[in-house]
Amino acid sequence: MPDRTHTHGKRVSRITEARHPLDMLTPDEISAGRAILEREGKFDESSLFPTVLPVEPPKDEVRGYDGGEFDRRILYVVLDPATGRSVECTVSLQQDAVIDERVVPSDKHPYGQPPYTWTEFMKAEELVKASPKWQAAMRRRGFTQEQIDLCYIGPLAPGFFDYEEEVGQRMIRSITFLRDHPNDSQWAHPVEGLLTTLNLTTGEVVSILDEGDVPTATGSGAYDDEAIGERRDDLMPLEITQPAGPSFHVDGAEVTWQKWKMRVGFNQREGLVLHQVRYDDDGEERPILYRGSVPEMVVPYGDTSINRYWISYFDAGEYHLGKNANSLALGCDCLGVIHYFDATVADDDGTPLTIPQAVCMHEEDFGVVWKHTELGFRPDVRRQRRLVISYFATVGNYDYGFFWYFYLDGTIEVEAKATGIVYNGSGEPGQDDPHRHEIAPGLYAPFHQHIFCARLDVEIDGPDNMVDEVEAVRIPMGEDNPYGNAFTLQRTRIETEGGRDANAAMGRTWHVMSKSRKNLVGRPTAYQLVPQNTPALLADPEAFVSKRAAFATKTTWVTKHHDDELWPAGDYPNQHAGGAGLPAYVADGESVDGGDIVVWHSFGPTHFPRIEDWPIMPVDRYHFEFKPFGFFDRNPALDVPEVEDMVGASCCSSGAGADAEGGASGGRAPDTGESADGTGTVAYETAGDCGCGAGAACTCGTDLAGGSGGCTCGSGGSCGCCGGDDLPQFTARPQ
């Protein structure tokens, strides 16, 4: 049952002991696995751990689990910084052993490196600042030693361009930013035309590109109190309370809310993961998703300058989104009655690192879920509500929020929010640039994309699913369309693995259907994937980024499920030549017309930065919906209660029929004939007196009788009362 004592503030879940095979890793488990590796001599004191991830058991084992002991397996990627050699070690905690070991083939085509560690970022800054060539380039630009000492080195994954000195090596590039003081926003002062490339294994500065004499932007990027000036003083406090507590119930990692049930997970690569999402349909728990996450994103830049032509962040595969998750704050990141989940990832040395309050969960009112008003009758209306499960990650200059919404009508929505600070370059003020916008004098923000990829391990009424591509079709005027008004839809079964394009003009969607279950009218039960229809990857198909981020070239992919096919851009997109991930998964062309399948969906903005995006960007939101389409036999939100049922007051319903007194049981006010009190024919007014039942409160004007005598509404106003013995009534007068 929901926690009725949690009426305000927060509760926090800390998973300290795994109670289910899909629970997130605990601190003790990460430590225990590391101890096994240490005992077996798999690392030394200089080793780094770029990746530590749970290895989920096969689906059949999970579905059959009914309590008792279970094995926990953990993948550790161990990097030797001195040689650049990385090894995957899989540990079984139950067996107390290393059960699998594999060298990461970073030195063989198509290459690929593990993600970077924070330790390597610090090393990169030290190497750049110690370089005589870099110091000479800075002095050539006229910078003082104080400026050189204060500058920020921004290390980034180098992409892949088949450069001889880079292939198979652990490389990183860096751009230099000035700071006027230690707390200055470095993003305001990019040093244009200066690019440093490093070999992290040898510690060598491989190249320094130094071209041009572009002046460095000097304007402030500050957004503190001093820079902002006087703040608004007329924005009043907004408090959200739930006097009876929230509607959700938390049991370990399992969440139950309004017929929804799911397990909340988290790992350091993809961040938030939701397992076993199901819906209680009249006592039957019907599966919808086995697993859902946003396991990758790419941010390709469309600028040809030496500072940015190579930039294409893979924020999960190159940096790990979960490891960069924020600790969320009550009233700031999350507002209302909040339940948090702590998350534990691994630090660079393989020891557990707990991120307090990494995942936020709460309820939100979301307007109207359904409503209808018949002419002359009072409206029937119910409020929509949604469960929100979210986290934020900060990767360099950008901050990303990942939100999963669950609605009363069975809809799931996935939303990515982008904020933070745009990545800038400098230039001569007042220029028109085909690849950048000037957002402050001499400060230019390049055009770029943020393409997120969601992985939906679908389970619509079980693991036997299929997908139809559905879109509107025009019918030429003629025998089949004699009046020219007709149109229809077209269904195309996706029979084999592959990627599909969006078609906004025809409203293309994808219906994920059960192969074995039919609904009330004999059609397969289904959920519909509704895209936002934003551009796919805009880079040329022959560009390296198109090969490395092939997932982003299509809107939706359908693949056969395999346990090891988790990552849209492959296991190691960092410095990978391309072709891994989804292109490799679909290469064998397996049938997806039935059986266990996975649907992948890419979405997100093409960003042409605005002046209003500086010095910190307002949130941009991008989303898709996964909503029932014949999954239920009627509107599943019909049973949402009236407000009266929840708080003892209602302005929302005509009810099923009035009692003889016209009291609390409701009833429709007729459009003609007798008024509610039998005094004559109804006429509606927008000014005058309204009669409210005992204990009711006026919704406009002046309360004439302490909530029992009526309201006076001003001209053009609308009478109404909430609470007490009567439902709100239209004003009626004898005619």
Side-chain angles (χ1 to χ4, degrees):
M1 292 294 294
D3 183 359
R4 301 303 184 196
T5 67
H6 184 192
T7 60
H8 64 282
K10 68 180 183 181
R11 296 280 194 273
V12 180
S13 287
R14 300 176 178 90
I15 309 300
T16 58
E17 180 181 0
R19 295 163 45 188
H20 187 275
L22 295 176
D23 280 351
M24 64 183 81
L25 291 178
T26 70
D28 288 347
E29 289 175 328
I30 293 174
S31 295
R34 185 182 187 277
I36 294 170
L37 294 179
E38 185 174 27
R39 185 190 68 208
E40 299 300 321
K42 301 301 181 183
F43 68 91
D44 60 31
E45 61 183 16
S46 68
S47 297
L48 296 174
F49 291 76
T51 297
V52 177
L53 293 173
V55 178
E56 295 178 8
K59 289 183 177 181
D60 287 344
E61 290 184 18
V62 175
R63 293 189 182 109
Y65 177 71
D66 59 359
E69 294 185 359
F70 51 87
D71 193 13
R72 294 280 273 177
R73 299 185 177 188
I74 307 174
L75 171 67
Y76 295 81
V77 178
V78 184
L79 168 67
D80 181 354
T83 64
R85 182 176 184 266
S86 299
V87 180
E88 293 180 349
C89 297
T90 302
V91 169
S92 165
L93 298 185
Q94 191 176 60
Q95 298 178 44
D96 190 31
V98 178
I99 59 172
D100 189 49
E101 187 171 345
R102 185 182 77 93
V103 175
V104 179
S106 299
D107 58 342
K108 297 180 176 63
H109 190 274
Y111 315 108
Q113 291 279 342
Y116 296 108
T117 62
W118 296 321
T119 301
E120 290 172 302
F121 288 148
M122 292 185 288
K123 178 180 180 180
E125 181 170 12
E126 294 171 0
L127 291 173
V128 170
K129 288 190 171 183
S131 167
K133 289 184 179 180
W134 175 83
Q135 293 176 9
M138 294 291 284
R139 285 193 293 270
R140 185 182 70 76
R141 286 168 165 77
F143 298 136
T144 67
Q145 189 61 48
E146 181 181 9
Q147 288 176 303
I148 293 173
D149 291 340
L150 276 174
C151 74
Y152 169 78
I153 304 300
L156 292 170
F160 181 89
F161 296 90
D162 209 18
Y163 297 148
E164 182 178 355
E165 68 274 15
E166 296 182 7
V167 293
Q169 303 294 317
R170 193 161 176 82
M171 310 296 292
I172 201 165
R173 301 194 209 282
S174 67
I175 297 175
T176 301
F177 298 82
L178 295 184
R179 287 187 290 206
D180 293 337
H181 52 81
N183 296 323
D184 193 18
S185 172
Q186 65 267 14
W187 313 113
H189 315 297
V191 178
E192 194 70 19
L194 179 59
L195 177 67
T196 308
T197 301
L198 307 167
N199 185 316
L200 288 172
T201 305
T202 64
E204 176 188 4
V205 176
V206 173
S207 68
I208 292 182
L209 299 180
D210 177 17
E211 65 179 37
D213 294 293
V214 177
T216 299
T218 59
S220 173
Y223 48 93
D224 56 11
D225 287 347
E226 182 178 351
I228 294 170
E230 186 175 349
R231 296 181 183 269
R232 305 179 191 192
D233 60 4
D234 57 351
L235 189 64
M236 298 299 103
L238 176 64
E239 295 184 0
I240 297 173
T241 61
Q242 293 185 264
S247 304
F248 53 73
H249 171 66
V250 180
D251 181 12
E254 187 174 67
V255 172
T256 304
W257 178 82
Q258 288 299 300
K259 301 189 176 184
W260 287 103
K261 187 177 285 188
M262 67 206 73
R263 306 194 69 85
V264 176
F266 196 93
N267 66 60
Q268 74 176 62
R269 180 164 179 166
E270 57 198 318
L272 177 63
V273 180
L274 299 178
H275 290 101
Q276 297 183 313
V277 177
R278 49 216 190 272
Y279 191 95
D280 186 333
D281 185 15
D282 197 23
E284 178 191 2
E285 284 192 1
R286 299 175 63 187
I288 297 169
L289 293 175
Y290 179 83
R291 189 182 195 273
S293 68
V294 182
E296 192 55 274
M297 57 178 291
V298 65
V299 188
Y301 277 61
D303 188 359
T304 58
S305 74
I306 66 166
N307 278 53
R308 288 166 295 278
Y309 77 89
W310 47 274
I311 296 179
S312 55
Y313 304 91
F314 290 77
D315 289 82
E318 293 176 338
Y319 306 101
H320 279 356
L321 285 166
K323 189 174 181 178
N324 287 281
N326 296 176
S327 184
L328 303 176
L330 183 67
C332 299
D333 302 288
C334 308
L335 184 65
V337 179
I338 306 299
H339 194 104
Y340 292 106
F341 295 86
D342 291 352
T344 300
V345 299
D347 210 339
D348 290 356
D349 61 358
T351 58
L353 174 66
T354 296
I355 305 171
Q357 301 178 188
V359 176
C360 170
M361 182 175 72
H362 65 289
E363 293 179 275
E364 289 181 348
D365 179 271
F366 200 67
V368 172
V369 63
W370 58 260
K371 177 175 180 173
H372 180 62
T373 303
E374 290 285 354
L375 181 62
F377 292 84
R378 290 170 301 170
D380 278 302
V381 58
R382 301 292 186 273
R383 299 295 298 175
Q384 175 68 283
R385 195 179 296 188
R386 65 185 184 182
L387 180 71
V388 185
I389 307 177
S390 65
Y391 84 104
F392 260 90
T394 300
V395 183
N397 54 302
Y398 262 105
D399 299 73
Y400 298 105
F402 297 90
F403 287 69
W404 289 74
Y405 302 114
F406 296 87
Y407 292 87
L408 298 174
D409 64 355
T411 296
I412 301 171
E413 181 185 6
V414 180
E415 181 180 63
K417 299 181 180 182
T419 180
I421 302 176
V422 290
Y423 203 80
N424 300 310
S426 292
E428 294 285 353
Q431 292 183 330
D432 286 329
D433 191 305
H435 310 298
R436 306 187 297 173
H437 277 160
E438 189 174 18
I439 59 172
L443 189 67
Y444 290 80
F447 306 157
H448 57 282
Q449 295 181 278
H450 302 257
I451 302 179
F452 308 92
C453 186
R455 181 180 183 273
L456 305 178
D457 191 342
V458 292
E459 198 173 42
I460 305 301
D461 277 324
D464 190 10
N465 290 171
M466 54 191 174
V467 179
D468 276 358
E469 186 171 88
V470 182
E471 60 190 357
V473 176
R474 290 188 176 93
I475 302 174
M477 197 165 181
E479 183 178 352
D480 293 333
N481 187 13
Y483 308 105
N485 64 306
F487 59 93
T488 187
L489 60 79
Q490 174 179 289
R491 288 181 173 271
T492 304
R493 177 64 45 82
I494 299 177
E495 297 181 345
T496 58
E497 296 178 303
R500 308 295 297 179
D501 295 318
N503 184 350
M506 291 294 102
R508 180 175 292 171
T509 63
W510 293 272
H511 291 200
V512 185
M513 303 174 292
S514 171
K515 192 83 170 178
S516 58
R517 182 162 176 165
K518 300 290 197 297
N519 58 26
L520 182 69
V521 297
R523 302 291 185 182
T525 57
Y527 258 68
Q528 176 190 39
L529 195 161
V530 184
Q532 191 176 9
N533 291 310
T534 51
L537 187 70
L538 293 173
D540 188 273
E542 295 303 312
F544 277 112
V545 68
S546 297
K547 300 171 184 177
R548 299 176 62 228
F551 72 86
T553 64
K554 300 290 183 181
T555 303
T556 298
W557 300 72
V558 183
T559 64
K560 200 74 171 180
H561 175 268
H562 294 283
D563 289 346
D564 59 348
E565 295 183 355
L566 294 169
W567 314 115
D571 293 352
Y572 298 103
N574 186 13
Q575 295 178 249
H576 196 281
L582 280 167
Y585 299 165
V586 305
D588 54 0
E590 290 185 87
S591 172
V592 290
D593 189 5
D596 196 355
I597 62 174
V598 180
V599 177
W600 314 68
H601 182 67
S602 296
F603 65 104
T606 296
H607 191 184
F608 300 104
R610 313 167 297 158
I611 292 176
E612 291 85 354
D613 288 333
W614 183 254
I616 187 167
M617 192 176 87
V619 166
D620 277 343
R621 297 172 175 85
Y622 299 89
H623 73 112
F624 67 91
E625 290 182 316
F626 197 53
K627 59 196 303 181
F629 198 101
F631 185 80
F632 300 102
D633 287 338
R634 63 176 188 170
N635 179 354
L638 284 176
D639 61 351
V640 172
E642 303 173 32
V643 175
E644 180 182 29
D645 295 337
M646 293 184 282
V647 300
S650 177
C651 300
C652 306
S653 176
S654 64
D659 59 22
E661 302 297 325
S665 62
R668 295 180 174 183
D671 55 352
T672 59
E674 292 298 311
S675 65
D677 61 1
T679 56
T681 304
V682 172
Y684 303 127
E685 295 184 342
T686 56
D689 293 343
C690 309
C692 295
C698 296
T699 60
C700 62
T702 304
D703 188 344
L704 300 180
S708 60
C711 312
T712 299
C713 297
S715 177
S718 178
C719 293
C721 317
C722 277
D725 297 332
D726 288 333
L727 294 171
Q729 303 282 343
F730 286 105
T731 301
R733 65 177 181 180
Q735 298 255 319

